Structures are given as structure tokens and as C-alpha cells.
Amino acid sequence: MANASPILGIDLGTTNSLVGVVDSGFPILLADAEGSRLTPSAVHYAAGGRVTVGAAALRQRALEPARTVTSVKRLIGRRAGESEWQPVYDLKALGRTPAEVSSDILKHLKGIAERALEIEVSRAVITVPAYFNDAQRNETKRAGELAGLTVERIVSEPTAAALAYGLDKLEENKKIAVYDLGGGTFDISILEMREGVFQVLATTGDTQLGGDDVDRALGEWILQSSGSSSESLDAAQRARLTVAAEDAKKKLSTESEVTVDLPFFLSSGNLSARVQRRDLESVARSLIERTRRHCQRALLDANITSSELDDVILVGGSTRMPLVRQVVQEIFGREPNTSQNPDEAVGLGAVIQAGILSGALKNVVLLDVTPLSLGIETFGGLMNIIIPRNSTIPCRAGEMFTNAVANQQEMLIRVLQGERELAKDNWELGRIAVPFPPGAKGSARVGVQFAIDANGILQVLARDTATNTDTVLEIQNSAVDVDDEKVEKMIAESVDFAFEDMNERIWTEARLKSEELLRAVDEALEQCAGLVPEDEVEKIKIAAHDVRHVMQAEPHDARALKAANQALDDATQQLAVLLVERAMEAALERKLS
């Protein structure tokens, strides 16, 4: 580390949060034990007092919506009832304040960093929407302190995004707009970059506008299109509907139509609706149009016209919606810049600000970029990207993997380069075999880290976490020294075969899930024989039969298989609860005996 006491950069988001640090002079975002850099901003408070944060908490939302807190950023620093949006959970009943819930998320992020860095950390920079008032900023700072962090600075999200965008443009003079539409908040900022100095000229926004509102509006539309009303829904149904609407919204960024299926959702039976992109845009347009006046106000406050801007940067997951990009283009009269990862730009900027404060980013030198993505082959023959193409080097990234089948004695890691969805269509740079003791599926844990140094040398490190045994493969120059013609050919093929490749990936992922589900259901039915009502067992068997039927059908229908998987998943919810109860009873008996 460049500093014995590093400062963390944290994006405390409405939907997702990130944590990172400057390592060896370069800003990096840190992944959790599952290899994910994005941590859902969700906290589940179990009746017994157990606190769960992140993806595991989010999975509880449909089962226990009253105990699962999401989008708490919309409530922080506000008096009861002040927020336009009111959640299905009651923080007072849970004995928590918004700052305390936020502190639980921050504790989790702090833990991710400490595991990755293998040292204790106690300092952080935390981002907030530019339009947060003093109360909201102070409560965010208090959340950090409750998590055991000294908050060195609260940074506005658009400023952080501008830092991420401008780190390799320090010598340039530019005026840019940062349009940040996240899960719960919207910001627009006009900034001027001059010789490495970032000055905010104007900022405005809406702390009660974001992707969450689109999800709820689309959920309401889905319900109405099926002839139902939201008035009769309980909290669990509302949560399921919102999750389904969010999933549909994400898919409609790349697809023109999706089908939403919610088995046994209503007393009258299943809920099924076809949603086209134009339906989503019709529902969302009034919400997205609310950003227009803020953009115009920011330009007016900055005393510039849109034609004087050098760039309009899109930040926040909601900017992936084609409608948002269209509206932004209309407002500013130019194609928006989508070069930044909308989910990670703010987090990366927070890390850069932290590095500046700690002195770790005194002399930043940016060199080359990776011309093609680097990754490994995962179960099912898919390409799993570790470092995306055009990543600035030096850089590093990693993920955690586990054994896909029982009694596996080693993991073969094939290092790949390319842009295709299937491993067989990319170039193999090398391979590592990592041995480990045979055990149950998921028992082995192998961390894989890719690091490209300033000389273009790719080093792949694989670590068996049980024994802390490292296997290292060094690949000279292959990471960046690729013939331009080959790069162009690979990229052209990735475009030409994009539809077929994506269909094959979706089908493969759905098939793998089907196989896993069917094995788990068969085992669960055997364990709970006689404990589940016959009509419930029959429903499960029918759903399992449907999955097997679709798996065997030709041609492959990925959408139908995903729907069948979801139906089986929903049909076995009570069975899953029963299994958990039995496991807890068995654990209690062992403890008492």
C-alpha cells in the first residue's frame, strides 16, 4: 500500500454500494467473497437479532418485506413522513433509524475492504447526491462514524464521477455535465476541469426521483394490464411485483419485449403479462421528463449553453434505459458519453478522492489500455470477464469461484482473451490447474486475480482459500500486445454473432440453473417426505416436469426455460422454509444433547 493507513472510497448508493482503495498508486474497487464489486444496499433484520447485508438480505425481501430494508438512502436525514416515498417496512418497529441501517451497510463494506487488504481500516470518503442538504449529509457522516469510520470527506456524486472520467484528462480544459440517475436520486452537475482542478459551476437535482420510481410505476402497470388492483396486495406481494418489474425494466434496455410471470400471485391464480419497451417508456416518460427542468436550470446557473459543453457523462444504473439516453440527447443536443461504467463511476471517483487525501495519488501515470477483455472459462463453457476491454493499465481485478460438481479434485482455470460469450470462441492465453481436497459441491473456494502491470504483463494468481496455496501464471505481453487486425476481427465477430452468442449464454445459464434446481427439489422432497401436503407436492412435481420438458425441447427456448425455472422456484418456497426449520431444529437438538 502507498499509505500505512489507507482511506477507503465508498459509494453509499440507494440500490447498490461499492468500496475501493488506492493500491500501488492505482484506484481499484474491491470485490466481496463472492467476487462481486456491487453490494446491494439491503439489510435484513431477523427476528432473532441476526443482521444480514447485501445480496443475501435482498433475497429475503419477498419472504419478509417488513424485515428487509432497501432504499434507506431516501429516508436518511429526513423527518418521518417527509419523504414522498414510503416503504413497506417500518424502521421504528425494527428499532432502527436510517443512519443506523446505513451504518450496517458501511460496516459490511468496511469488512470487505479489511478482508481484501488484510489490515484494519478506519478512514473513508463517502459520496452523497449533490443535492443532499446539510441534515442528509450530516446523517450520512454519522452513519460512517457508527460503522467505526472517520469520515474524512463527504463528496458529491457527480464530482466523484467527474474525477473518474477526468483522471486521464488532467492536462485538458473541459466543461462537462454529469447526468446521474440512480436507484433513488437524480443529480445534474456542470463542472469545469482545468489543469487537474475540478470546479463545480452548478448543481441541482431531486433526491426523490430514480429507478425505484420506475419499478413501482411499471409494477402498477403490469397489475392493471392483468385486470387487477394494487389495493388488495399485501406487503409480500408488493415486494414480489416490484422485483419482477425491476427485472423486466433491466431486460427491456436490450430487448424489445419481455414476459412477466408470477405463479400463484393472486387469489385467482397466476399473473402473466407481456411488456414491450414502448409500454415501459410510456410509464416512465413522465418521471424521466422531470429531469429536463433540472438540466436546464443547471445550465442557466452555470451561465453556459449546452453547445459550450465538451461532454455529457451518464452515471447511475438507470441511465442504461434507452429512453433516458434519448431524453438526455434531446436536452443537450448531443450524444451522451457512455464510456463510464454507470454503476461504478461514482465509486471509482470516491476512491480517487480518497487517494488524493491520503497522498497515495501524488504522481499518477496512465499508460495503455487492454484492447480485448480478459477472463476465464466457467462451468458450462461460458466466458466470465475479469478485466473488460479498454481498462486502463496497470489494473487488477478478481473474483471467487467454487467447485461446480461434487468430489472435484482440481479446478482448471483457462485464461481467455476476447469479446465472445462462449469460451470456445475466444483465445486461450494459458491455463492453471488448482488442486484441492474432494468434497461436496461448493465446498472449495478458489480466488482468481488478474493483474496487468505497466509493462503489459498479465499475472494470474489462483489461491485455494482453504490452504492459502497460491498458483501463479505469468503471461508476457499477450494482454496488450495484440495485432490490430485481430482485435478488429474479434470485435466485428462479437457484433455479428451478438444475438446468437447471447441466446446461447442465456440458454446455458438457464440450463445450469435447471439442473441445480431439479437436484435440490428431488433431495428436498425426499427429506420432507410426509411433511408436505399432497396437493403442494403435486404442484412441485408438475413444475419440475415442466422444467424437464422445456430442457429437452428443440429448438432451445431460453425464455421458456427461465419462466419454467421461476415457476419451480416459486412452487418450492414453502418447501424451502420447511427445510430451514428442520435444519434449525436439528442444530438445536445437537446443541442440547
Side-chain angles (χ1 to χ4, degrees):
M1 296 300 300
N3 195 303
S5 178
I7 302 177
L8 299 180
I10 295 176
D11 173 13
L12 185 61
T14 307
T15 308
N16 294 299
S17 295
L18 301 100
V19 62
V21 72
V22 172
D23 189 358
S24 304
F26 295 93
I28 60 167
L29 294 169
L30 302 171
D32 62 17
E34 304 302 319
S36 175
R37 293 190 289 270
L38 285 178
T39 295
S41 302
V43 188
H44 178 257
Y45 296 99
R50 180 182 171 87
V51 179
T52 308
V53 179
L58 201 59
R59 288 193 286 270
Q60 297 294 322
R61 182 165 56 168
L63 296 173
E64 290 191 287
R67 290 193 163 275
T68 307
V69 181
T70 56
S71 301
V72 74
K73 184 173 175 177
R74 284 190 150 194
L75 304 176
I76 199 165
R78 288 178 170 268
R79 293 185 294 271
E82 188 181 357
S83 172
E84 297 170 12
W85 167 74
Q86 296 302 318
V88 297
Y89 52 80
D90 182 353
L91 287 183
K92 201 172 282 186
L94 292 171
R96 296 292 196 285
T97 66
E100 287 168 343
V101 175
S102 298
S103 78
D104 286 329
I105 298 169
L106 291 169
K107 283 176 194 171
H108 183 79
L109 296 172
K110 180 174 181 280
I112 289 172
E114 289 178 337
R115 281 191 294 273
L117 303 175
E118 298 180 342
I119 58 171
E120 287 188 9
V121 288
S122 60
R123 306 162 72 198
V125 165
I126 302 176
T127 61
V128 296
Y131 218 50
F132 254 21
N133 58 32
D134 283 345
Q136 290 167 307
R137 288 169 185 264
N138 287 334
E139 280 297 279
T140 301
K141 186 173 183 181
R142 192 169 80 85
E145 291 164 353
L146 289 171
L149 293 167
T150 299
V151 182
E152 300 289 345
R153 188 166 297 179
I154 295 289
V155 181
S156 293
E157 289 165 3
T159 305
L163 280 171
Y165 162 79
L167 188 62
D168 61 340
K169 305 173 180 67
L170 297 180
E171 302 305 314
E172 299 177 18
N173 294 335
K174 284 193 170 190
K175 287 187 176 74
I176 62 170
V178 179
Y179 182 102
D180 183 355
L181 185 61
T185 59
F186 168 70
D187 284 317
I188 175 69
S189 291
I190 311 296
L191 301 99
E192 185 172 20
M193 298 162 41
R194 189 179 293 275
E195 297 176 353
V197 176
F198 293 77
Q199 181 184 0
V200 179
L201 302 179
T203 187
T204 183
D206 187 337
T207 58
Q208 300 293 302
L209 174 64
D212 289 356
D213 302 291
V214 176
D215 299 341
R216 281 187 292 277
L218 182 59
E220 188 68 36
W221 182 90
I222 291 169
L223 205 58
Q224 289 176 359
S225 69
S226 65
S228 304
S229 167
S230 61
E231 294 175 2
S232 60
L233 298 186
D234 60 27
Q237 287 172 310
R238 287 179 187 276
R240 275 186 72 192
L241 182 62
T242 302
V243 169
E246 181 185 8
D247 186 50
K249 176 191 73 175
K250 289 177 179 177
K251 290 176 182 173
L252 287 168
S253 288
T254 54
E255 299 176 33
S256 59
E257 179 179 302
V258 298
T259 300
V260 174
D261 286 305
L262 290 171
F264 312 110
F265 182 74
L266 303 166
S267 56
S268 57
N270 303 341
L271 184 151
S272 182
R274 290 172 62 193
V275 187
Q276 296 184 329
R277 184 184 290 176
R278 66 169 177 264
D279 300 322
L280 169 62
E281 292 180 347
S282 173
V283 167
R285 183 167 290 278
S286 62
L287 292 166
I288 307 307
E289 282 292 336
R290 280 168 55 183
T291 69
R292 187 185 293 268
R293 60 185 176 87
H294 292 297
C295 296
Q296 292 166 342
R297 174 64 186 270
L299 288 169
L300 190 64
D301 290 349
N303 197 29
I304 65 171
T305 63
S306 58
S307 61
E308 294 176 82
L309 290 172
D310 295 292
D311 240 333
V312 179
I313 316 301
L314 295 187
V315 182
S318 297
T319 60
R320 286 191 172 92
M321 290 176 61
L323 174 64
V324 173
R325 299 185 176 193
Q326 176 192 323
V327 169
V328 171
Q329 186 168 358
E330 291 170 7
I331 295 169
F332 294 101
R334 68 171 63 236
E335 190 86 13
N337 182 320
T338 58
S339 64
Q340 301 300 299
N341 182 321
D343 294 319
E344 296 184 352
V346 170
L348 194 61
V351 174
I352 293 167
Q353 177 65 70
I356 292 168
L357 290 177
S358 69
L361 277 180
K362 285 178 182 173
N363 299 302
V364 178
V365 180
L366 298 176
L367 301 169
D368 211 339
V369 297
T370 55
L372 293 170
S373 299
L374 295 158
I376 71 170
E377 180 180 8
T378 55
F379 193 61
L382 300 175
M383 162 75 155
N384 187 90
I385 293 174
I386 304 290
I387 296 180
R389 67 182 290 255
N390 286 333
S391 295
T392 302
I393 63 169
C395 65
R396 69 176 64 191
E399 287 191 28
M400 189 73 71
F401 297 92
T402 188
N403 55 315
V405 294
N407 299 317
Q408 198 174 324
Q409 296 186 34
E410 68 173 19
M411 185 180 295
L412 178 64
I413 297 170
R414 291 182 64 219
V415 181
L416 306 172
Q417 185 171 35
E419 301 305 312
R420 302 289 297 276
E421 297 290 337
L422 302 183
K424 67 181 179 63
D425 297 321
N426 294 300
W427 305 324
E428 182 179 324
L429 300 181
R431 54 178 64 194
I432 307 174
V434 182
F436 45 74
K441 175 188 172 184
S443 60
R445 310 281 290 171
V446 175
V448 177
Q449 179 181 267
F450 281 27
I452 308 177
D453 69 13
N455 298 312
I457 296 172
L458 170 65
Q459 186 186 75
V460 181
L461 180 147
R463 174 176 294 173
D464 176 4
T465 59
T467 61
N468 279 333
T469 303
D470 290 349
T471 308
V472 178
L473 173 68
E474 199 169 86
I475 300 167
Q476 300 281 338
N477 296 322
S478 300
V480 293
D481 188 16
V482 185
D483 182 81
D484 287 349
E485 219 171 275
K486 288 184 178 178
V487 171
E488 288 172 14
K489 185 172 185 287
M490 171 61 76
I491 294 171
E493 286 178 352
S494 74
V495 174
D496 293 342
F497 296 103
F499 187 75
E500 294 91 332
D501 283 2
M502 186 52 68
N503 269 356
E504 192 61 34
R505 171 177 278 274
I506 293 170
W507 168 261
T508 302
E509 288 172 345
R511 177 178 57 77
L512 292 173
K513 183 175 181 182
S514 298
E515 292 168 355
E516 186 179 349
L517 268 173
L518 291 168
R519 278 195 303 271
V521 168
D522 289 344
E523 289 173 11
L525 286 174
E526 190 176 326
Q527 288 181 39
C528 298
L531 300 176
V532 183
E534 278 304 316
D535 60 334
E536 194 79 20
V537 172
E538 189 59 29
K539 281 181 188 176
I540 293 170
K541 287 183 176 178
I542 290 171
H545 174 269
D546 290 346
V547 171
R548 289 188 173 95
H549 177 72
V550 178
M551 282 176 70
Q552 294 165 3
E554 291 287 349
H556 294 160
D557 188 338
R559 184 180 294 179
L561 187 55
K562 286 175 78 174
N565 284 343
Q566 187 60 54
L568 179 56
D569 209 11
D570 292 338
T572 55
Q573 282 191 12
Q574 292 302 317
L575 182 60
V577 170
L578 184 59
L579 275 175
V580 172
E581 288 174 352
R582 291 197 69 194
M584 290 175 68
E585 287 170 4
L588 185 60
E589 286 175 8
R590 285 195 300 272
K591 192 174 180 181
L592 295 174
S593 61

Coordinates of all heavy atoms in Angstrom, one line a residue, residues 3 11 47-48 60 114 235 243 337 396 429 476 493 508 561 564:
N3 N 0.2 3.9 1.6 CA 0.0 4.5 2.9 C -0.4 3.5 3.9 O -1.2 2.6 3.6 CB -1.1 5.6 2.8 CG -1.1 6.5 3.9 OD1 -1.2 6.1 5.1 ND2 -1.0 7.8 3.6
D11 N -19.0 4.5 -2.3 CA -20.3 5.0 -2.9 C -21.4 4.3 -2.1 O -21.7 3.1 -2.3 CB -20.3 4.6 -4.4 CG -21.6 4.9 -5.0 OD1 -22.4 5.6 -4.4 OD2 -21.9 4.4 -6.2
A47 N -35.8 -11.9 13.2 CA -36.5 -11.8 14.5 C -35.5 -12.2 15.6 O -35.6 -11.6 16.7 CB -37.7 -12.8 14.5
G48 N -34.6 -13.0 15.4 CA -33.6 -13.4 16.4 C -32.5 -12.4 16.6 O -31.6 -12.7 17.5
Q60 N -34.2 -12.0 0.9 CA -35.3 -12.1 1.9 C -36.5 -11.1 1.7 O -37.5 -11.2 2.3 CB -34.7 -11.8 3.3 CG -33.6 -12.8 3.7 CD -34.1 -14.2 3.9 OE1 -35.2 -14.4 4.4 NE2 -33.4 -15.2 3.5
E114 N -11.4 -4.8 4.6 CA -10.4 -5.4 5.5 C -10.0 -6.8 5.2 O -8.8 -7.2 5.3 CB -11.0 -5.3 7.0 CG -11.0 -3.9 7.5 CD -11.6 -3.8 8.9 OE1 -12.3 -4.7 9.3 OE2 -11.3 -2.8 9.6
A235 N -47.9 -6.8 1.7 CA -46.5 -6.4 1.6 C -45.7 -7.3 0.8 O -44.8 -6.9 -0.1 CB -45.9 -6.1 2.9
V243 N -39.9 -6.5 -7.6 CA -38.8 -7.3 -8.0 C -38.9 -7.7 -9.5 O -38.0 -7.6 -10.3 CB -38.5 -8.5 -7.2 CG1 -37.4 -9.4 -7.8 CG2 -38.1 -8.1 -5.8
N337 N -22.1 10.7 -23.4 CA -20.9 9.9 -23.3 C -21.2 8.7 -22.4 O -21.5 8.9 -21.2 CB -19.7 10.8 -22.7 CG -18.4 10.0 -22.6 OD1 -18.4 8.9 -22.2 ND2 -17.3 10.7 -22.9
R396 N -6.0 -4.2 -11.8 CA -6.2 -5.6 -11.3 C -7.6 -5.8 -10.9 O -8.3 -4.8 -10.6 CB -5.3 -5.9 -10.1 CG -5.6 -5.1 -8.8 CD -4.8 -5.5 -7.6 NE -3.4 -5.1 -7.9 CZ -2.4 -5.5 -7.1 NH1 -2.6 -6.3 -6.1 NH2 -1.1 -5.2 -7.3
L429 N -5.0 -17.9 -23.5 CA -3.6 -17.4 -23.2 C -2.8 -18.4 -22.4 O -1.6 -18.3 -22.4 CB -3.7 -16.0 -22.5 CG -4.4 -14.9 -23.3 CD1 -4.4 -13.6 -22.5 CD2 -3.8 -14.7 -24.7
Q476 N 3.5 -13.1 -20.7 CA 4.3 -11.9 -21.2 C 3.6 -11.3 -22.4 O 3.3 -11.9 -23.4 CB 5.7 -12.4 -21.6 CG 6.5 -13.0 -20.5 CD 7.1 -11.9 -19.6 OE1 7.2 -10.8 -19.9 NE2 7.4 -12.3 -18.4
E493 N -16.7 -9.8 -35.0 CA -17.4 -11.0 -34.8 C -18.3 -11.0 -33.6 O -19.4 -11.5 -33.6 CB -16.4 -12.2 -34.7 CG -15.7 -12.6 -36.0 CD -14.7 -13.7 -35.8 OE1 -14.3 -14.0 -34.6 OE2 -14.1 -14.2 -36.8
T508 N -27.6 -21.5 -21.7 CA -26.7 -22.3 -20.9 C -26.9 -21.9 -19.4 O -26.9 -22.8 -18.6 CB -25.2 -22.0 -21.3 OG1 -25.1 -22.3 -22.7 CG2 -24.3 -22.8 -20.5
L561 N -37.5 -21.6 -20.7 CA -36.8 -22.3 -19.6 C -36.7 -21.4 -18.4 O -36.8 -21.9 -17.2 CB -35.4 -22.8 -20.1 CG -34.7 -23.7 -19.1 CD1 -35.5 -24.9 -18.7 CD2 -33.3 -24.1 -19.7
A564 N -40.0 -21.4 -16.7 CA -40.2 -22.7 -16.0 C -39.4 -22.8 -14.7 O -39.9 -23.3 -13.7 CB -39.9 -23.9 -16.9

